[in-house]
Amino acid sequence: MLAKRIIPCLDIKDGQTVKGTNFVNLRQAGDPVELSRAYSAQGADELVFLDITASFEGRKTFTELVERIAANINIPFTVGGGIHELSDVERLLGAGADKISINSAAIRSPQLIDDIARHFGSQVCVLAVDAKQTSAGWRCFLNGGRVETERELFAWAHEAQERGAGEVLFTSMDHDGVRTGYANEALATLADSLSIPVIASGGAGAKEHFRDAFLRGKADAALAAGVFHFGEINIPDLKLYLCAQGIPVRAI
């Protein structure tokens, strides 16, 4: 079995790391460069940087901040937010990103997934999905969870895979910041229906939640923010716990 990945996430607003609950009530969580350096040293498997208001504000991701973070880490680095065209991808890869996460732009223009995969390889293209359960089932949202779409989670993830996405990063908006565990049932459905890796996001509050995301949710990786930023869970301790639970993780 492939090693499961632990991925801290930096949600960036106005150049600072923030964390909220259900995508609102944001609070400061620290300097992104210092946090990145610490996570790299602690044994995080990857790092995700999401400029959470770039699409809503209609601007590009902060390239200079991406460069500063990339210079301070030695782990794979995914960047998302405000990416609309191939030139944005090229700019961020040039700034030090290893992968690009697209969400709103992919829903508005699914061809962007095909174009990124064809020009840069599927391994570069991560489809990020912000979804919540509605009366019509799991629906995908745009612009940092502000706009509901007609896209259904599982059908959209499958289409993205067919178009060339290399991974799916699924955030349950209902679970985000609540710290009661990931959306394991939906995660397992995604994992069973896709052949590409699924990253769990939204809901981590205890080490057991990571265990459940891997065992019940069948996720390939688990992403978290607040529990890492505020020192509630230490990555080396988490990996030791998961190893004791029989879950394969990369050595620290």
Side-chain angles (χ1 to χ4, degrees):
M1 185 186 296
L2 290 175
K4 303 296 187 178
R5 291 172 284 152
I6 302 299
I7 306 177
C9 179
L10 305 175
D11 291 327
I12 304 296
K13 183 177 187 293
D14 301 326
Q16 288 296 311
T17 311
V18 296
K19 185 66 191 114
T21 302
N22 302 133
F23 283 43
V24 294
N25 301 322
L26 301 177
R27 59 175 171 149
Q28 294 286 330
D31 177 75
V33 177
E34 292 304 316
L35 286 170
S36 300
R37 184 185 295 122
Y39 293 142
S40 182
Q42 286 175 22
D45 298 299
E46 298 185 16
L47 182 72
V48 168
F49 169 115
L50 298 176
D51 191 335
I52 60 173
T53 57
S55 292
F56 174 66
E57 295 172 0
R59 59 170 173 75
K60 306 294 187 183
T61 302
F62 293 113
T63 308
E64 185 265 342
L65 182 53
V66 171
E67 289 175 339
R68 286 169 54 211
I69 291 173
N72 281 274
I73 62 175
N74 58 4
I75 54 177
F77 184 27
T78 300
V79 176
I83 297 165
H84 304 290
E85 55 197 13
L86 289 181
S87 61
D88 296 327
V89 178
E90 193 164 14
R91 170 173 54 86
L92 293 170
L93 293 177
D98 299 289
K99 306 177 190 177
I100 299 301
S101 169
I102 53 173
N103 186 339
S104 300
I107 291 179
R108 292 193 178 101
S109 180
Q111 181 64 35
L112 182 59
I113 300 172
D114 304 69
D115 293 343
I116 293 173
R118 186 171 64 252
H119 282 82
F120 303 104
S122 290
Q123 78 284 352
V124 166
C125 185
V126 178
L127 177 77
V129 184
D130 297 330
K132 67 188 299 184
Q133 282 191 296
T134 70
S135 58
W138 282 95
R139 284 288 183 264
C140 303
F141 282 69
L142 294 172
N143 291 357
R146 293 175 178 84
V147 181
E148 184 176 347
T149 75
E150 292 298 312
R151 288 282 188 176
E152 192 271 340
L153 168 63
F154 306 109
W156 174 227
H158 187 267
E159 179 181 334
Q161 173 182 275
E162 295 304 297
R163 288 181 174 275
E167 291 183 282
V168 170
L169 167 55
F170 161 52
T171 301
S172 168
M173 295 171 61
D174 295 316
H175 293 72
D176 175 70
V178 180
R179 304 194 181 194
T180 55
Y182 294 92
N184 293 314
E185 187 176 330
L187 278 167
T189 301
L190 278 174
D192 287 339
S193 63
L194 300 175
S195 60
I196 58 177
V198 175
I199 303 169
S201 172
K207 295 172 186 175
E208 293 79 7
H209 296 154
F210 291 85
R211 175 200 65 197
D212 292 345
F214 295 134
L215 296 181
R216 292 176 48 211
K218 304 180 183 180
D220 298 278
L223 177 147
V227 291
F228 294 145
H229 301 338
F230 302 119
E232 293 157 48
I233 294 179
N234 175 279
I235 291 174
D237 290 346
L238 174 59
K239 286 195 168 188
L240 287 172
Y241 167 80
L242 292 172
C243 188
Q245 297 293 310
I247 297 169
V249 293
R250 292 189 175 96
I252 300 164

